[in-house]
Each structure stands twice: as C-alpha cells, then as structure tokens.
C-alpha cells in the first residue's frame, strides 16, 4: 500500500492478505461472463473456437478449462462456483450466462448483447456489487442474430434495446451483492426490481456447482454437493472438496426449491450417445423452464444445484429478494437476520471509507463516481484463468485425441508449450475479452496500483514468469495468438506502479527488470534483424491503423520499417534506463545497465532522425511527420504517408536522468563524458533541460523544432485533437497508395470499423483510444518539464492561444475525463448510442473499448473497464496531488 493511503479497515485486510495472516482474496468475482467460444475450449482442427463451442451448446456441455456465469463468485482456483440464473416464464432457457454475437455473426465482429454494470468492489472482495438488466419479454436471441447478419459494416450494430423488448422499462434490474463476514464466509443478496408498469413473474435461480475436474483423465477425484437439511426446512447444501474442504450454502427462504444435477455434458442431446450421468448439466434448466424433472437427481446429490425461488408476480416498482450465505459448516451464529444486515451495512461503509482514502479529497462527486465505477470494473474483471498449452495440444487421456492439425508447425500457439497458467488475472472485460492481453494488463495495473499496489505488482510479474514468458524472452500477447506482438509497455507500467506505491519496493523493480532484460533482447534480435535500429513488429495492438494488416499483409520480399515499433523501442530503452537508475541509487552496480539503455536510446533516436540502411527515412521533412516505410526487394524505399498515431508515437520517447546522478553515480558520469567525446553523433538525443529542474539530462527522440511541427497536427481539431482526446487517425486523412500489385486506400473512420481486419470490431482508423492518450499526456508533461515555460505551442492549432506542454497535457486530460461527465442534456458523451435516455440508463457510466472520434460515443466492447479505467488514474493524479505520482 502507498504510504499516503489512510489506514482504513480495507487497507488492513489487504495488509493481512499480503503477509499471509489471512486470505481475504480466496473468494472473489473471478467467474468469467463467457467461457464458450474461447480458444481454451476449442479442440477443433480448423481453430474456429466460436463454432466449436457456440452459445447454444454452453448450457449442455461441460467446460474443460473454466466456467462462466452472471455476477459470479468463485474461489481463486476456480473449483466451486456460485452465479445468478433467472427465468421470466417467457425465455426458452434459463438466463444463466451472458449472450452475444460471435465474430462471424456481428456486423462489426463479436459483440455482447446484454446490459450489466459493475457498481462497486473492494480489492479484497470484502464487498462487491453489480446490476444485471433482464427483459420481462422473451430474450430476442433469433432477432439479434438475424438483423445483425443482415446489416453491413456501414450500419450501426443492432442492440438489445433496438429490439423493443425493453420499452416502457419492462425489465428487472437484478442487483447482486457479495459481502464477506470473514475470508471464508460470504453473504450474497439478490434483489430484482420491476421497473415496468405491470406486475411480472420472475424465478430467481442462483446455482452452485463444482468445475468439472474429473472427466478428463487427469484427476479422478470428484467433488460433491448434497442437501443437508430435511424437506420443508430452510435449504442447506453441503459442498465437499478435497482442496477447499467442507462448505455449506444456506438459503434464507424456506419456499425455495433445490434441484440437483451433475456438471457433465448432455451427450445424448449433443451427439446422440449416452451421457455419463442421467442428470447432466442442463438438468436445472429443463426442470425450471420445461417442467421436466427427469434430469434432476431425486436423491438431492450431484455436482451442480439450482436454488429456485418462484415469484408469480413482482409488483410494478416492487422487488423480490433472495439471500444466501456460503461459509464453513461449524459456524454457530445465525446465517440471516440482524447479523446479516449488520455485515452488509459494515462492508458498504468500509468500502466508502476506503475509496474516500484512495480518491483525493478535492475530486468532485461526478468524477469520484466515475473513478469508483472504473475501479469496480477492474475488480470485477479479475478472472480465474486456467490454460496449460501442452495439455491442450496433447489432449486429455479421458477424451478422444485432438486433431493432428492442431499440433502442426504454424498452428495456433503450438510454440507456446511453456504456458501453464492457473491464476486470477486481470482481463480487459468479462465477455468479449475473457482472456488476458499483455499490453492491456499493463495499463490495468497502473490504475490498480491506486487501490492495491501489491496486486498490480503481482500481475506484472505473473506474465514475466517462466510459465507465461516464452523461453526466447517474448511475452504472450493473448490466447488467440500468443505469438502476436504487443507494444512493450510493461516497463512503463512497472515504473508507474513503483512510483504510485511510494517508490519503496526496489525488490519489485529488480524482479521485473531481470525478466524484461530477456524481452528487450528478444526485441533487438527478432524485430531488428539487420541491426539498423529501425524496428518492425506487425500490427502492435493497433488493429486496422494502416493500409493493410501489418502483421500478415506485407508483400513477400518486402520489409516494413515501423515508426511506432521503433518509437516503442526508444520508449522501452528510456523506461528501463529509469528503472536501472533507480536501482543504482541504492546499488551503484546497476549504473552500467543504465548507460547501456542510454546508448540504445540514442542509437534509435539517431535512426529515427537520419536516413538509415537502404536510405530508409521515417521522418518526412516536407510534411513534418513520421511515417512507416516500405523497403522494396531492390532496396528502394517508399513512405506510407498516412497521418496516424504511428507518426505521433515518437513523442512518447522522452525521459530524464535525475539531478542526483552526478553526485551519486560517478561511473555513469564518466560513461556519459565518454559519449560526449567519442560518440557526438549520438548525444543529440541527450540534452540539458531548458531551466533548473530535478533533471540532469533529458533523453528525447523529437527535438524542439520537430516537436513544434508534430504539435501542429496533434492539436489541430481538423486532424488529431477531438473534443474528447487524441484521435488514432487524422480526421483529414484520405490516402491511397500502390503496394505491390494492389491499390490500397484508407480514410478517417471515427466509429466502428468498416473493414474485416481483426474481426471488424476493433478500429484504430479514427476513434479515441484511452491508453495511448494516457501515454501522450504522460510524455507531454515530461517534455514540458524539460523544455520549461518558455516553450509554447498553439493549442488548439489556429486558436491564437499558446500554452506550455504541461498545459497542453492538462487540456488533453480534461477532454478525456470529460467523456464521462454529464452534459447539459444529462447524458455523458461516452454513453453508447443505445444507453442515452432516462435516469435508469444515465446513472450507469459505461467504460467502452474506444470512443467515436467526433462525438465521444462509446464503441467496441461495452464493458472494457480494463484500459479505459485509466480515467480513474487521471482523476487520482489531478494537479493537486500530482507530485506524489510524478517521476
């Protein structure tokens, strides 16, 4: 915890967890919103994960690697799961998991077709709250599929609200609360409120089940559930597990009915062969929805149980509530009553106290709510993630062997047999991205550090451990293709987390640096094979940003030298230098490593500044902009003059050598003096600050003259500067170029992608993306501190108003945070198109994947709190508290 944090009850829980005195994080909302359609569950020959295990199979098939559910709770090992299920007496199935369109089905790729919001959560998971919006009409599965299939990419996505089933507010808002009385005593309160004008029926059917670990031939131990109360009594369910021990789930309402089955596939319904049990996974669904009890065990035992509370008519404006409690069997105090209420009230109060300590006192109530919701989303989107690639490739002894095609050279993840993860990992969201993405996670950790620095550090280290990082030093990108290359932002995140945590944990820096040295070497050896200090990397996380897929669309025999890849490597060098210098402050031996990174930075800066091998230039002096360059087989070079973030990323490559270095690290000073004498070609990138400051030298790729020219584009509202941040492509862009035998074209797309690259649901051809904006804000402040108040640029371009770069950074930050602030009409610019009308919608800020380049409307994954949660980082580092987070 940061030394600046107050000593709240929640902070003490986290301290107890860190020291091992207690384990408050054993139970948490670690259950994914979707396990179907993931790579982990795909055992097909063609790698089509969406088709191999589709949504329509999810209620019938036992999962191999994980589980899913609505408002789910599980232990951090993913053994025992508890989640919400519902039935409105109109649906053809229980609503027990989130629905959405696959990549093949959506007109802009995969897309969740539900509404839910993460309302609150503490990092120990002592308190968590979310709302799920459930229609009273039949859920329009077929209509959503058919209409989105009919629409082209030029048309907006067809959303649940567009179907009309929510008209007149005919829905239930189902609020689920988890609160812990102790680390292994979890209270659950489910309250469904009818917002419609008429009474409506509802069945609350929370389900408890064990993940199936016994059917695959690797672990024969079988966990079990059984009814531990007499018929007519308040239901009490005993759960027995070899690792977790014994637990009981107690139910407050004696009228609730319990329905037992097994977490096994319904093989007869799926494949026409006998199931392993007469009571397969869909037994609860068949009983509640179809009145068919043949699939439920009359002996009241199994590995899955549903608790059904049927409410014939919830009054208009009224509510129905069901309370549960999961705890050890030897607990003596009453499960419900005043004690239950007291725990809920105490945990809510302690959550308020905790966030009052985390969010600075000067933050207004609107921004405070946005930050708290962002933190809640990050806590809810930590998910149990289990994936052993070697076992996945080999198949399981108890199952048919996987197709040989999945193990052939070039098949998905075949080179990543070292991946063996079974941990709670921060995910971008719980439905569209129910798997980790390495560069997303780095951004998550910067925000997480404000509430729980130890978790942020653990997450960053996790992906550099030998069971995640490849032996060659590369970091896994994401499970769809671990070999894709993400920008190397781990070092930036590690430094930021270290600073937010009070600059006290040098052991963390040592551990992360040791592993990032391997990754840095991998970049040098694999992404700059000719040693030119100009780098390639493929799409580098920015889907659709160029004329073609930069990972797979480069013509044979051609070479792509990338402005962004080269800039990322300059940034990487600068961030690792800063970490090395911090370590050298405590142990001067690390100074040698710092000078190595200084030399690397200067060499890359030189390559960006001047023509390189084959005459490759990334800077265009006529335009005043950086571009990618294509090197043709004969050695000639052509720039791809697309004004995009690719050409602005050199701005990120800036850092400082602290003012304490001359006195404390004389060996570093001798090396720098040697550079001055013997490598004057490199030291252009290593300059004194403009005025007295806490810096001895400044490292920057972009000199003041080029910085001024780039800022003209950056701050031009007809180019990059939108009302809500920096666009990913200039709004003035309309460009075509001959590439090989193709004439390719790109123009500004402020909203959803109109191309099918990367599934079509992720667009970097114009919208505002939060993570790059946050890095730009960071870098502009660094430039501003180095250049001083005398260096000013016009902001916005053409306005006649000249600002320091620190003021420019503040202005961009203001526009980013304003995405989530209600306007005069009551809605936030960031509200998705279908969530703008009425207080029942406006009360819930939505953290979208990216934002329309002109209007700020939320687009892409609608629950990707993930890196969009950086808004909480910006809120918590307002000017009044910025000093303790600088560095």
């Amino acid at each position: 915890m940061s030394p600046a944090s107050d000593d709240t009850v929640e902070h003490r829980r986290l301290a107890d967890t860190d020291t091992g005195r207690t384990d408050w994080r054993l139970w948490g909302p670690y259950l994914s919103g979707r396990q179907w359609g993931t790579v982990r569950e795909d055992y097909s020959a063609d790698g089509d994960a969406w088709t191999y295990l589709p949504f329509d199979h999810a209620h019938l098939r036992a999962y191999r690697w994980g589980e899913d559910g609505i408002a789910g709770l599980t232990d951090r090992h993913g053994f025992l799961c508890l989640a919400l299920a519902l039935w409105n007496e109109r649906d053809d199935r229980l609503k027990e998991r989130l629905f959405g369109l696959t990549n093949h089905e959506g007109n802009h790729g995969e897309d969740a077709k539900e509404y839910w919001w993460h309302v609150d959560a503490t990092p120990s998971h002592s308190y968590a709250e979310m709302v799920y919006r459930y229609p009273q009409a039949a859920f329009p599965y077929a209509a959503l599929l058919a209409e989105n299939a009919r629409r082209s990419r030029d048309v907006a996505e067809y959303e649940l609200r567009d179907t009309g089933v929510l008209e007149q507010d005919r829905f239930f808002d189902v609020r689920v609360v988890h609160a812990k009385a102790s680390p292994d005593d979890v209270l659950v309160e489910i309250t469904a409120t009818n917002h419609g004008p008429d009474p409506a029926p509802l069945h609350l059917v929370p389900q408890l089940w064990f993940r199936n670990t016994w059917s695959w031939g690797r672990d024969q131990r079988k966990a079990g559930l059984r009814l531990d109360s007499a018929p007519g009594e308040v239901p009490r369910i005993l759960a027995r597990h070899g690792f977790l021990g014994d637990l009981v789930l107690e139910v407050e309402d004696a009228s609730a009915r319990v329905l037992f089955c097994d977490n096994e596939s319904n093989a007869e319904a799926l494949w026409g062969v006998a199931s392993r049990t007469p009571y397969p996974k869909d037994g609860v669904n068949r009983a509640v929805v179809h009145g068919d009890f043949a699939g439920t065990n009359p002996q009241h035992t199994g590995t899955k149980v549903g608790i059904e509370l049927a409410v014939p008519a919830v009054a208009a404006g009224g509510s129905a509530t069901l309370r549960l409690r999961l705890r050890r069997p030897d607990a003596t105090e009453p499960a419900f009553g005043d004690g239950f209420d007291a725990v809920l009230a105490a945990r809510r109060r302690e959550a308020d106290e905790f966030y009052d300590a985390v969010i600075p006192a000067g933050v207004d109530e609107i921004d405070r709510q946005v930050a708290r919701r962002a933190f809640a989303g990050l806590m809810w989107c930590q998910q149990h993630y289990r994936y052993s690639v070697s076992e996945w490739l080999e198949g399981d002894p108890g199952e048919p062997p996987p197709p040989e095609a999945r193990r052939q050279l070039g098949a998905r993840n075949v080179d990543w047999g070292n991946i063996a993860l079974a941990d709670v990992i921060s995910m971008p969201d719980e439905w569209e991205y129910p798997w980790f993405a390495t560069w997303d996670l780095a951004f998550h950790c910067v925000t997480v550090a404000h509430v729980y620095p130890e978790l942020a550090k653990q997450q960053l280290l996790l992906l550099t451990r030998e069971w995640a990082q490849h032996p060659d030093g590369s970091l896994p990108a994401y499970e769809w293709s671990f070999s894709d290359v993400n920008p190397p932002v781990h070092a930036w995140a590690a430094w930021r987390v270290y600073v937010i945590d009070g600059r006290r944990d040098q052991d963390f820096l040592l551990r992360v640096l040791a592993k990032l040295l391997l990754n840095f070497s991998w970049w040098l050896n694999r992404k700059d094979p000719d040693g030119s200090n100009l780098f390639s990397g493929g799409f580098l996380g920015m889907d659709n940003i160029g004329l073609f897929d930069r990972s797979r669309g480069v013509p044979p025999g051609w070479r792509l030298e990338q402005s962004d890849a080269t800039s990322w490597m300059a940034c990487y060098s600068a961030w690792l230098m800063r970490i090395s210098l911090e370590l050298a402050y405590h142990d001067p031996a690390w100074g040698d490593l710092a000078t190595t990174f200084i030399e690397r930075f200067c060499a890359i800066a030189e390559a960006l500044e001047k023509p390189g091998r084959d005459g490759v230039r990334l800077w265009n002096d006529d335009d005043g902009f950086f571009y990618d360059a294509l090197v043709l087989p004969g050695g000639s070079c052509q720039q791809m003059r697309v004004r995009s973030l690719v050409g602005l990323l050199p701005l990120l490559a800036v850092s400082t050598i602290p003012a304490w270095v001359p006195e404390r690290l004389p060996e570093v000073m001798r090396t720098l003096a040697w550079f001055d004498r013997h490598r004057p070609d490199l030291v252009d990138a290593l300059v004194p600050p403009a005025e007295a400051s806490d810096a001895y030298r400044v490292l920057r790729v972009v000199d003041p003259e080029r910085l001024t020219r780039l800022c003209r584009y950056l701050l031009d509202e007809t180019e990059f500067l939108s009302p809500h941040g920096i666009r990913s492509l200039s709004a003035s862009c309309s460009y075509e170029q001959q590439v090989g035998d193709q004439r390719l074209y790109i123009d500004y797309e402020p909203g959803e992608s109109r191309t099918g690259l990367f599934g079509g649901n992720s667009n970097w051809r114009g919208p505002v993306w939060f993570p790059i904006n946050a890095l730009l804000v960071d870098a502009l402040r660094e430039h501003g501190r180095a250049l001083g108040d005398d260096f000013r640029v016009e902001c916005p371009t053409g306005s006649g108003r000249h600002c320091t770069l620190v003021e420019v950074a503040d202005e961009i930050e203001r526009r980013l945070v304003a995405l989530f602030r209600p306007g005069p009409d009551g809605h936030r610019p960031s509200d998705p198109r279908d969530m703008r009308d009425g207080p029942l919608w406006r009360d819930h800020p939505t953290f979208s994947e990216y934002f329309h380049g002109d209007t700020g409307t939320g687009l892409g994954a609608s629950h990707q709190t993930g890196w969009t949660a950086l808004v909480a980082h910006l809120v918590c580092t307002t000017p009044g508290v910025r000093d303790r987070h600088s560095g």
Side-chain angles (χ1 to χ4, degrees):
M1 294 170 292
S2 168
S5 297
D6 291 352
D7 185 24
T8 68
V9 174
E10 176 66 11
H11 283 109
R12 291 196 291 275
R13 288 193 192 101
L14 297 176
D16 287 345
T17 299
D18 294 340
T19 58
R21 285 193 291 270
T22 56
D23 191 0
W24 279 91
R25 286 176 54 83
L26 173 61
W27 297 93
Y30 306 140
L31 202 63
S32 173
R34 173 175 68 83
Q35 181 71 11
W36 59 272
T38 59
V39 168
R40 284 156 284 167
E41 302 296 337
D42 176 24
Y43 283 76
S44 67
D46 60 4
D48 187 350
W50 291 111
T51 301
Y52 181 77
L53 205 168
F55 175 78
D56 282 336
H57 284 194
H59 68 292
L60 297 167
R61 285 169 66 170
Y63 295 129
R64 169 65 179 90
W65 293 98
E67 293 291 344
D68 58 19
I70 299 171
L73 174 78
T74 186
D75 61 277
R76 68 166 178 264
H77 310 285
F79 288 129
L80 183 61
C81 308
L82 176 63
L84 175 68
L86 303 159
W87 188 49
N88 56 15
E89 298 190 0
R90 290 178 172 84
D91 283 348
D92 65 351
R93 73 197 76 185
L94 278 178
K95 175 55 69 177
E96 54 185 335
R97 61 182 49 78
L98 299 172
F99 169 73
L101 304 185
T102 73
N103 229 1
H104 311 302
E105 296 167 343
N107 61 321
H108 293 288
E110 70 263 31
D111 183 29
K113 296 299 183 187
E114 305 264 20
Y115 298 114
W116 74 99
W117 295 273
H118 305 118
V119 175
D120 204 2
T122 58
S124 74
H125 308 303
S126 60
Y127 187 78
E129 181 179 344
M130 73 162 285
V131 170
Y132 172 74
R133 185 153 289 172
Y134 184 46
Q136 294 170 6
F139 198 93
Y141 297 106
L144 288 165
L145 284 165
E147 179 60 22
N148 280 285
R150 188 188 68 79
R151 294 189 176 196
S152 73
R153 291 193 180 95
D154 295 321
V155 181
E157 294 159 355
Y158 188 59
E159 304 293 359
L160 177 62
R161 198 171 181 194
D162 298 328
T163 68
V165 300
L166 303 178
E167 289 298 315
Q168 296 182 287
D169 297 336
R170 292 184 183 274
F171 52 76
F172 294 99
D173 270 352
V174 187
R175 187 171 296 264
V176 180
V177 173
H178 305 154
K180 295 180 185 175
S182 67
D184 53 5
D185 184 351
V186 186
L187 290 64
V188 179
E189 182 177 70
I190 303 165
T191 303
T193 300
N194 178 3
H195 289 294
D198 303 308
L202 181 65
H203 296 241
L204 300 174
V205 196
Q207 298 181 91
L208 180 74
W209 72 98
F210 282 108
R211 177 169 56 86
N212 188 327
T213 59
W214 53 85
S215 293
W216 322 107
R218 296 182 183 272
D219 184 354
Q220 298 301 322
R221 294 173 297 174
K222 188 173 182 180
L225 303 167
R226 66 174 175 83
L227 187 62
D228 196 39
S229 56
E233 293 182 349
V234 176
R236 173 186 166 99
I237 296 151
L238 177 65
R240 313 203 88 159
H241 188 269
F243 181 82
L244 294 176
D246 287 358
L247 293 139
V248 291
L249 180 68
E250 297 174 84
V251 183
E252 184 180 39
D253 197 319
S255 66
R257 177 169 58 179
V258 290
L259 302 162
F260 285 83
C261 62
D262 290 311
N263 188 13
E264 299 273 11
S265 296
N266 188 333
E268 183 175 355
L270 288 162
W271 306 297
V273 298
S275 301
R276 288 174 171 165
T277 171
Y279 315 114
K281 177 178 178 177
D282 64 326
V284 177
N285 176 74
R286 288 159 56 194
V288 174
V289 177
H290 304 291
D292 174 9
F293 294 90
T296 57
N297 190 334
Q299 301 303 313
H300 300 302
T301 64
T303 50
K304 177 181 176 181
V305 61
I307 300 99
E308 180 192 13
L309 179 65
V311 184
V314 180
S319 298
T321 297
L322 181 62
R323 288 176 160 187
L324 311 170
R325 190 162 185 169
L326 182 68
R327 58 181 179 168
R328 296 296 174 187
D330 57 358
T332 57
E333 67 274 17
F336 303 102
D338 292 344
F340 192 102
D341 294 334
V343 171
L344 287 182
R347 297 302 171 263
R348 288 191 182 105
R349 182 178 64 253
E350 290 157 6
D352 291 341
E353 292 169 352
F354 175 73
Y355 282 111
D356 283 346
V358 167
I359 302 170
V363 174
D364 66 33
E365 286 306 311
I366 291 173
D367 288 354
R368 183 174 294 274
Q369 186 217 23
V370 169
R372 188 157 173 179
R373 287 290 187 100
F375 286 130
L378 280 174
M379 297 301 105
W380 272 94
C381 287
Q382 296 169 56
Q383 296 170 36
H384 170 73
Y385 183 87
R386 183 175 296 268
Y387 189 21
S388 168
V389 171
S390 62
E391 292 182 15
W392 178 76
L393 290 170
E394 294 166 5
D396 295 310
E399 295 291 300
E404 182 62 32
R406 72 185 295 119
R407 296 190 294 274
Q408 293 175 352
L409 187 65
R412 175 179 283 150
N413 297 336
V414 71
D415 296 328
W416 286 83
N418 67 295
I419 292 278
L421 289 162
D423 214 319
V424 172
I425 303 181
S426 182
M427 309 292 178
D429 78 356
E430 62 179 311
W431 192 89
E432 285 176 73
Y433 301 88
W435 29 261
F436 74 87
T438 296
W439 85 305
D440 295 61
L441 180 139
F443 292 112
H444 304 177
C445 288
V446 172
T447 305
V448 169
H450 289 278
V451 295
Y452 191 13
E454 294 306 316
L455 175 62
K457 288 181 277 188
Q458 178 268 334
Q459 292 284 291
L460 288 170
L461 289 169
L462 175 64
L463 294 192
T464 66
R465 294 305 302 266
E466 53 273 23
W467 46 84
Q469 185 173 19
H470 197 278
D472 66 10
S474 58
L475 295 178
Y478 39 76
E479 71 175 31
W480 286 92
S481 178
F482 286 132
S483 293
D484 272 350
V485 183
N486 280 175
V489 292
H490 236 65
W492 171 80
W495 176 251
R496 285 285 151 224
V497 168
Y498 172 78
V499 171
I500 292 168
D501 189 35
R503 303 176 78 142
R504 61 188 178 85
D505 191 352
Q506 289 80 48
D507 286 347
F508 162 68
L509 285 186
L510 278 168
R511 294 179 65 193
V512 76
L513 176 61
K515 293 303 185 80
L516 292 182
L517 288 175
L518 299 174
N519 183 245
F520 187 82
S521 296
W522 176 85
W523 272 89
L524 291 177
N525 294 327
R526 297 294 183 90
K527 299 304 174 183
D528 179 25
D530 63 352
S532 66
N533 290 314
L534 296 176
F535 290 80
S536 60
F539 90 103
L540 281 176
M542 294 193 285
D543 310 354
N544 307 329
I545 202 167
L547 287 165
F548 52 80
D549 178 348
R550 298 187 300 166
S551 292
R552 299 167 183 87
V554 181
W558 296 41
R559 186 173 85 249
L560 182 66
E561 303 285 19
Q562 295 180 215
S563 170
D564 55 339
T566 305
S567 302
W568 284 124
M569 278 305 287
C571 293
Y572 204 176
S573 302
W575 296 328
L576 290 178
M577 176 215 64
R578 195 65 188 86
I579 290 172
S580 301
L581 285 175
E582 185 75 7
L583 293 172
Y585 182 89
H586 302 276
D587 180 355
W590 290 98
D592 289 350
L593 192 58
T595 56
T596 295
F597 291 124
I598 292 171
E599 187 276 335
R600 283 290 83 220
F601 181 96
C602 292
I604 295 169
E606 180 78 359
L608 275 167
E609 182 180 358
K610 297 178 180 178
R613 194 166 302 165
D614 295 322
V616 176
R617 293 200 72 137
L618 303 185
W619 172 256
N620 185 302
D621 203 49
D622 292 334
D623 292 356
F625 207 76
F626 289 97
Y627 301 114
D628 285 351
L630 272 169
V631 182
L632 283 63
S636 62
C637 172
Q638 60 185 55
Q639 288 183 336
M640 298 172 63
R641 294 170 62 186
V642 178
R643 284 202 298 277
S644 73
L645 282 177
V646 163
L648 295 177
L649 286 183
L651 291 172
L652 303 184
V654 58
S655 189
T656 57
I657 299 175
W660 51 259
V661 167
E663 179 179 350
R664 197 161 185 105
L665 300 175
E667 189 61 36
V668 170
M669 295 304 297
R670 282 191 284 272
T671 303
L672 294 179
W674 186 92
F675 281 162
D676 285 336
R677 293 193 303 271
H678 299 288
R679 295 300 306 274
D681 56 317
L682 296 185
V683 295
D684 287 349
L686 185 61
V687 297
E691 57 188 38
S693 72
D694 59 355
Y696 166 68
R697 287 287 186 271
V698 179
L699 280 74
R700 82 284 187 276
V701 159
V702 180
D703 63 30
E705 188 269 334
R706 289 184 178 178
L707 177 58
T708 299
R709 298 184 71 183
L710 285 172
C711 281
R712 288 181 191 141
Y713 293 111
L714 177 76
L715 303 176
D716 188 335
E717 292 179 314
T718 69
E719 296 259 2
F720 287 100
L721 183 62
S722 85
H724 307 292
I726 302 302
R727 301 178 177 105
S728 49
L729 188 74
S730 166
S732 301
C733 179
S734 181
Y735 182 78
E736 62 180 308
Q737 182 172 331
Q738 190 75 27
V739 178
D741 59 358
Q742 298 183 74
R743 191 72 179 170
L744 301 178
Y745 179 79
I746 186 173
D747 65 356
Y748 174 61
E749 296 179 7
E752 294 96 342
S753 175
R754 293 179 299 183
T755 80
L757 289 178
F758 301 94
N761 66 318
S762 183
N763 182 26
W764 289 76
R765 295 186 174 187
V768 171
W769 291 78
F770 230 91
I772 300 296
N773 272 262
L775 287 171
L776 279 167
V777 166
D778 213 15
L780 287 169
R781 287 204 179 102
E782 196 81 45
H783 282 292
R785 286 191 287 265
L787 291 168
D789 290 347
D790 291 339
F791 184 88
R792 293 175 176 264
V793 295
E794 198 174 24
C795 178
T797 299
S799 68
R801 175 176 175 258
H802 288 78
C803 302
T804 68
L805 291 182
V806 171
E807 290 169 340
V808 169
D810 290 345
E811 173 62 17
I812 295 172
E813 181 182 280
R814 183 194 65 77
R815 294 182 183 218
L816 290 168
V817 176
L819 274 166
F820 301 93
R821 292 175 176 150
D825 60 357
H827 82 257
R828 301 170 174 84
S830 59
D831 291 339
R833 172 188 59 81
D834 54 321
M835 300 188 199
R836 293 193 166 198
D837 299 325
L840 291 175
W841 298 90
R842 292 176 185 168
D843 286 350
H844 298 296
T846 300
F847 298 89
S848 296
E849 186 177 8
Y850 56 97
F851 303 90
H852 193 284
D854 297 333
T855 66
T857 300
L859 299 167
S862 56
H863 292 81
Q864 196 175 13
T865 309
W867 59 23
T868 300
L870 281 163
V871 65
H873 169 64
L874 299 183
V875 166
C876 289
T877 53
T878 54
V881 295
R882 185 167 289 141
D883 288 347
R884 76 178 170 96
H885 300 290
S886 66

